[in-house]
């Protein structure tokens, strides 16, 4: 039985999540919502809270989970196991997709051809998640992006002068193509530290190990810097999020997407990035 303190803490997190869902209309009545479930603390919390909302008045939607096994030896197996355990525990329809089965190679295979493995990982995860969610008839794809993730993404875009990405920030993305499943971020106002406390306090089966490729990324370095800044000046991350939200009202330009001539998935070019990278990786592996 949970202690009073854990009940209060859980309620505070649930209140933040419900506020984001209601304020930004993340979920509509009758929606089929797919959770991108990695087995890590953020996606597991997203699954648990959305599952709990299913039984509350005012919420009427279906829930399923999609896990992508990227093929990272000695690491990904535990995350996939945690993802499956949580979905089965809650009775949520669970779908596990293998990158190696779907694309013909694992992330470990592909990583050697890039400066950082995060590049192919990001492209192929987004590709497989969207394709699977669309095939399963999902209306929304819920990710575990928390407050820290959002602030890191803002700063990464600043560092790269990638102004176009500003329009993609926020807890909800609109549908820009019939085959693109809109993404939602229920944990948008929840700090990463609170997600970790939730997992430990409630003794939830989550995979807490860090990806062995994470140290290669700019995001990892920014994360460490922001954590130090937050420790010295509490509230810094939330202040940053509020600043971006208030001052970066980037107009969402109409994006015209066609279909990839190879796989048929939505793409801004004749060949999508995933197919382009697949061809490059397979040629180099051969």
């Amino acid at each position: 039985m949970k202690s009073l303190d854990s009940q209060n803490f859980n309620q505070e997190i649930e209140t933040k999540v419900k506020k984001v869902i209601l304020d930004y209309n993340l979920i509509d009545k009758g929606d089929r919502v797919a959770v991108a479930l990695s087995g890590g603390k953020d996606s597991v919390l997203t699954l648990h809270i959305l599952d709990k909302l299913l039984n509350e008045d005012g919420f009427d939607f279906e829930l399923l989970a999609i896990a992508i096994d990227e093929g990272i030896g000695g690491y990904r197996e535990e995350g996939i196991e945690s993802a499956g355990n949580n979905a089965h525990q809650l009775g949520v329809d669970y779908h596990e997709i293998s990158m190696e089965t779907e694309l013909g190679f694992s992330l470990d295979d592909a990583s050697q051809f890039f400066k950082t493995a995060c590049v192919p990982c990001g492209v192929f995860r987004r590709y497989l998640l969207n394709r699977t969610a669309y095939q399963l008839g999902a209306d929304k794809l819920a990710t575990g992006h928390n407050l820290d993730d959002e602030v890191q993404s803002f700063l990464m875009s600043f560092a790269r002068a990638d102004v176009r990405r500003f329009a993609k920030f926020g807890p909800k993305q609109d549908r820009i193509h019939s085959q693109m499943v809109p993404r939602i971020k229920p944990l948008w106002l929840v700090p990463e530290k609170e997600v970790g406390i939730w997992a430990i306090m409630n003794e939830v089966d989550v995979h807490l190990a860090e990806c062995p490729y994470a140290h290669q990324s700019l995001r990892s370095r920014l994360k460490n810097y922001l954590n130090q800044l937050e420790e010295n000046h509490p509230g810094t991350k939330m202040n940053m999020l509020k600043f971006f939200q208030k001052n970066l009202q980037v107009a969402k330009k109409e994006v015209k997407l066609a279909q990839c001539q190879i796989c048929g998935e939505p793409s801004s070019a004749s060949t999508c990035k995933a197919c382009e990278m697949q061809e490059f990786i397979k040629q180099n592996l051969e």
Side-chain angles (χ1 to χ4, degrees):
M1 187 174 181
K2 295 184 178 67
S3 68
L4 183 60
D5 285 344
S6 67
Q7 288 179 343
N8 290 339
F9 182 77
N10 290 346
Q11 186 59 52
E12 288 177 7
I13 290 185
E14 290 165 16
T15 298
K16 289 180 182 178
V17 173
K18 283 202 285 189
K19 176 176 173 56
V20 172
I21 291 175
L22 294 174
D23 286 355
Y24 294 91
N25 192 32
L26 300 193
I27 301 174
D28 296 310
K29 183 177 181 180
D31 269 352
R32 185 167 167 80
V33 180
V35 175
L37 187 63
S38 68
K41 62 186 186 307
D42 304 295
S43 66
V44 169
L45 172 57
T46 302
L47 183 74
H48 277 254
I49 288 188
L50 291 183
D51 180 72
K52 186 173 183 180
L53 290 180
L54 288 174
N55 301 313
E56 293 192 11
D57 292 337
F59 290 95
D60 177 19
F61 61 95
E62 296 179 53
L63 191 62
L64 64 141
I66 302 171
I68 306 296
D69 181 357
E70 302 89 350
I72 305 175
Y75 166 77
R76 201 65 191 94
E77 299 88 351
E78 290 185 19
I80 288 294
E81 183 178 356
S82 294
N85 288 343
N86 279 279
H88 294 141
Q89 172 195 333
L90 299 173
V92 174
D93 189 20
Y94 175 73
H95 301 266
E96 188 176 304
I97 308 298
S98 163
M99 181 182 292
E100 186 164 12
T101 300
E102 296 296 319
L103 305 179
F105 51 80
S106 67
L107 185 62
D108 283 343
D109 294 329
S111 63
Q112 61 188 302
F113 307 118
F114 298 87
K115 185 176 180 180
T116 167
C118 300
V119 172
C121 184
V123 169
F124 293 132
R125 274 186 59 82
R126 287 190 295 270
Y127 176 80
L128 292 173
L129 280 170
N130 182 75
R131 189 177 75 178
T132 305
Y134 178 76
Q135 291 172 345
L136 294 171
D139 300 291
K140 305 284 172 56
L141 179 60
T143 66
H145 290 88
N146 56 48
L147 184 151
D148 294 53
D149 295 324
E150 192 78 342
V151 173
Q152 291 161 20
S153 294
F154 271 121
L155 294 181
M156 286 168 65
S157 295
F158 268 121
R160 294 167 174 162
D162 192 353
V163 180
R164 295 174 302 174
R165 285 193 176 273
F166 291 147
K168 295 184 178 181
F169 296 137
K172 180 182 180 181
Q173 291 183 10
D174 297 326
R175 185 183 289 275
I176 59 176
H177 188 279
S178 60
Q179 289 179 238
M180 289 286 285
V181 181
R183 297 194 172 205
I184 58 174
K185 307 170 188 174
L187 304 189
W188 196 60
L189 290 180
V190 183
E192 183 177 24
K193 184 176 182 179
E194 291 184 9
V195 182
I197 293 173
W198 171 84
I200 295 171
M201 184 178 287
N202 292 279
E203 299 181 345
V204 180
D205 177 11
V206 298
H207 185 216
L208 292 173
E210 185 177 61
C211 174
Y213 293 116
H215 70 280
Q216 302 174 345
S217 67
L218 172 61
R219 181 181 291 275
S220 178
R221 294 191 289 275
L222 277 173
K223 177 179 180 177
N224 293 334
Y225 169 73
L226 286 168
N227 285 343
Q228 186 63 52
L229 199 60
E230 181 72 21
E231 184 177 336
N232 295 332
H233 306 280
T236 295
K237 294 175 184 176
M238 181 61 77
N239 289 338
M240 284 185 175
L241 185 68
K242 289 178 179 178
F243 171 81
F244 293 136
Q245 185 182 15
K246 180 179 179 180
N247 295 287
L248 288 179
Q249 300 298 323
V250 180
K252 295 183 181 293
K253 297 180 180 179
E254 183 179 351
V255 179
K256 292 185 178 180
L257 296 180
Q259 287 182 303
C260 173
Q261 61 184 4
I262 297 176
C263 69
E265 290 295 296
S267 174
S268 58
S270 59
T271 302
C272 73
K273 196 66 178 176
C275 285
E276 182 183 306
M277 291 181 71
Q278 281 185 71
E279 182 64 24
F280 169 76
I281 292 167
K282 288 179 178 178
Q283 284 181 353
N284 281 275
L285 286 172
E286 290 171 359

